[in-house]
Amino acid sequence: MTATATRVLVLNSGSSSVKYQLLDMADGRRLAVGLVERIGEENSRLVHTPLATGGEKRETEGAIADHETALKAVAAELSADGLGLDSPQLAAIGHRVVHGGLRFTEPTVIDDAVLKEIERLVPVAPLHNPANITGIRTAQALRPDLPQIAVFDTAFHSTMPEYAARYAIDVETADAHRVRRYGFHGTSHAYVSRRTAALLGQDPAEVNVIVLHLGNGASASAVAGGRCVDTSMGLTPLEGLVMGTRSGDIDPAVTFHLKRVAGMSADEIDELLNKKSGLLGLCGDNDMREIRRRIDEGDERAALAFDIYIHRLKKYIGAYYAVLGRVDAVVFTAGVGENAAPVREAAVAGLEELGLAVDAGLNAVRSDEPRLISPEYARVAVAVVPTDEELEIAQQTYALVSA
Ligand code: ADP
């Protein structure tokens, strides 16, 4: 790495999409952001915004067959703005990797052995790790000389005590198949809990925070003095809160019941619980904006879906309050958490005895800034802190390569 190499490209490779950001870590500035979606389909789309040049957003439609073609197209877009991957200013590429298992608890320089281990984790993250691996291989082929860093979604949760990480099932069976609670959205929980401490003007080591990451996927975590002590997602991102299309917690017997009674296969049940459940399964919509609109029109199914969503959220707030003993802040983040004031209001309604309340006026304010929404008198701060997983990945990547 040269002394002037301060840029980090962050790649988040999903099964049919690649999201990317190029950041300059000298000042934290975003130079370009974009995404390629519907990879493998006829109508793939690349949206690229060259922030550094102040240029207009550029959109290209047309078939992009695979991740390699997608990354090459991204590289071409970056080159067009003078930000190409061949730039000596590029210090590293930071990859979001969903599952790091037990081994990866820190950002890690990717070599063959690391890549093999990420591959070995595919059975516990079949939807995510394969896409991450493809993204890494493609980036390696484009810039073989550049450090490629893996930042794991599970890493922040590796501090969970054994009693929170283990399921109460036969230990030998669990260990033989690596069945335990890993947790996900870790970069978001890490970033948001730290940012919340800053908002309170305190050291992260001094505060206990309940983080509610409510996007399409959703998870809660209990963070004590900067360390995660519990989180709602488990072996896979299916456990916990009600999500856009995922059920979250259910009685595990539902799965064998469906197998025995409805004759569904494991794959069909997997698809049902991951893709056809949650808000979508309950009311036919997974977008909270649409659900709120339907509720305003008196739609009862949408109202019930909302109530189920809130009920689960409230149970986790209560559970993590008990786990932490003392709570300094409850913080909302991600698409729903940052934007849906009715969700925030409903989630803490009736919890005044726990020191939790939301100020209606503050809650209604729309802003991209971290902010408090609790009234002056409240014992526990309630906050909205926009998450920034890409910045967190870039910071962790840069810290590793510039150390
Ligand atoms: P992902 O998990 O895909 O990263 P996001 O964190 O971007 O998801 O959240 C996406 C979700 O945020 C949408 O599905 C929608 O439910 C919700 N959302 C976005 N904007 C709003 C809004 N203005 N009001 C309510 N919900 C919103």
Side-chain angles (χ1 to χ4, degrees):
M1 194 177 93
T2 64
T4 53
T6 54
R7 292 180 186 166
V8 173
L9 178 68
V10 176
L11 287 181
N12 180 354
S13 307
S15 55
S16 65
S17 70
V18 176
K19 292 186 200 149
Y20 62 93
Q21 290 197 3
L22 181 69
L23 295 100
D24 194 331
M25 302 319 290
D27 51 11
R29 208 159 47 100
R30 258 167 253 263
L31 304 174
V33 302
L35 95 148
V36 188
E37 55 187 358
R38 299 194 289 267
I39 295 173
E41 293 178 38
E42 283 307 309
N43 60 342
S44 318
R45 193 164 73 113
L46 194 163
V47 185
H48 176 84
T49 310
L51 301 170
T53 57
E56 289 285 300
K57 179 159 95 178
R58 300 198 290 271
E59 284 195 38
T60 348
E61 282 224 27
I64 294 179
D66 49 32
H67 282 74
E68 190 180 336
T69 317
L71 265 192
K72 282 187 177 149
V74 170
E77 289 291 346
L78 289 167
S79 286
D81 303 312
L83 301 168
L85 294 192
D86 50 358
S87 163
Q89 282 164 283
L90 191 60
I93 301 182
H95 296 268
R96 174 189 182 210
V97 179
V98 168
H99 215 308
L102 280 180
R103 165 130 170 238
F104 298 117
T105 58
E106 300 285 341
T108 305
V109 179
I110 301 168
D111 58 19
D112 288 349
V114 168
L115 204 51
K116 255 204 196 97
E117 184 62 23
I118 298 172
E119 259 163 5
R120 228 169 61 81
L121 291 163
V122 165
V124 283
L127 300 177
H128 296 100
N129 275 27
N132 302 154
I133 292 164
T134 311
I136 292 167
R137 286 198 195 290
T138 311
Q140 280 177 331
L142 288 174
R143 274 298 303 269
D145 56 315
L146 205 63
Q148 313 263 340
I149 311 298
V151 178
F152 299 91
D153 258 33
T154 46
F156 182 63
H157 305 301
S158 65
T159 52
M160 272 196 287
E162 200 61 7
Y163 55 75
R166 276 208 179 263
Y167 292 111
I169 62 173
D170 172 67
V171 169
E172 276 80 35
T173 308
D175 288 352
H177 302 286
R178 288 176 288 180
V179 175
R180 61 187 282 124
R181 310 189 58 255
Y182 296 96
F184 297 89
H185 291 143
T187 48
S188 177
H189 287 283
Y191 175 84
V192 169
S193 55
R194 253 197 352 261
R195 194 69 192 76
T196 303
L199 181 68
L200 300 178
Q202 284 181 281
D203 191 309
E206 290 169 358
V207 296
N208 290 349
V209 185
I210 296 173
V211 180
L212 304 168
H213 175 112
L214 312 176
N216 220 340
S219 64
S221 68
V223 183
R227 290 165 70 83
C228 177
V229 294
D230 205 353
T231 194
S232 60
M233 284 178 166
L235 173 74
T236 76
L238 181 56
E239 192 180 341
L241 300 173
V242 176
M243 312 183 207
T245 65
R246 292 176 225 157
S247 63
D249 296 334
I250 53 163
D251 180 343
V254 169
T255 55
F256 8 109
H257 177 78
L258 288 174
K259 191 162 190 303
R260 289 182 193 130
V261 175
M264 292 174 76
S265 68
D267 284 347
E268 284 168 343
I269 300 171
D270 190 327
E271 163 133 351
L272 173 80
L273 297 179
N274 273 296
K275 300 200 170 144
K276 299 181 184 162
S277 296
L279 293 168
L280 181 73
L282 287 167
C283 75
D285 273 305
N286 62 332
D287 192 310
M288 191 53 82
R289 285 164 287 204
E290 188 56 21
I291 290 169
R292 290 304 310 173
R293 195 191 59 71
R294 283 172 56 187
I295 293 171
D296 289 344
E297 287 177 353
D299 186 318
E300 284 179 16
R301 260 182 84 194
L304 179 60
F306 184 82
D307 289 347
I308 294 170
Y309 183 94
I310 296 297
H311 181 64
R312 185 81 52 83
L313 199 49
K314 213 171 239 185
K315 288 210 282 193
Y316 271 93
I317 294 173
Y320 289 171
Y321 208 114
V323 164
L324 290 168
R326 188 204 82 222
V327 176
D328 299 296
V330 172
V331 54
F332 291 86
T333 193
V336 175
E338 291 165 29
N339 296 298
V343 168
R344 299 190 296 253
E345 183 189 335
V348 300
L351 301 185
E352 292 82 5
E353 288 288 322
L354 298 180
L356 284 164
V358 156
D359 177 283
L362 294 175
N363 192 32
V365 173
R366 300 194 62 86
S367 159
D368 293 334
E369 293 299 313
R371 58 201 185 274
L372 292 174
I373 57 168
S374 42
E376 290 268 337
Y377 63 80
R379 232 176 338 110
V380 179
V382 181
V384 181
V385 173
T387 192
D388 197 336
E389 289 163 283
E390 288 77 15
L391 179 60
E392 179 71 19
I393 292 171
Q395 282 172 344
Q396 292 193 17
T397 297
Y398 192 63
L400 189 61
V401 294
S402 59

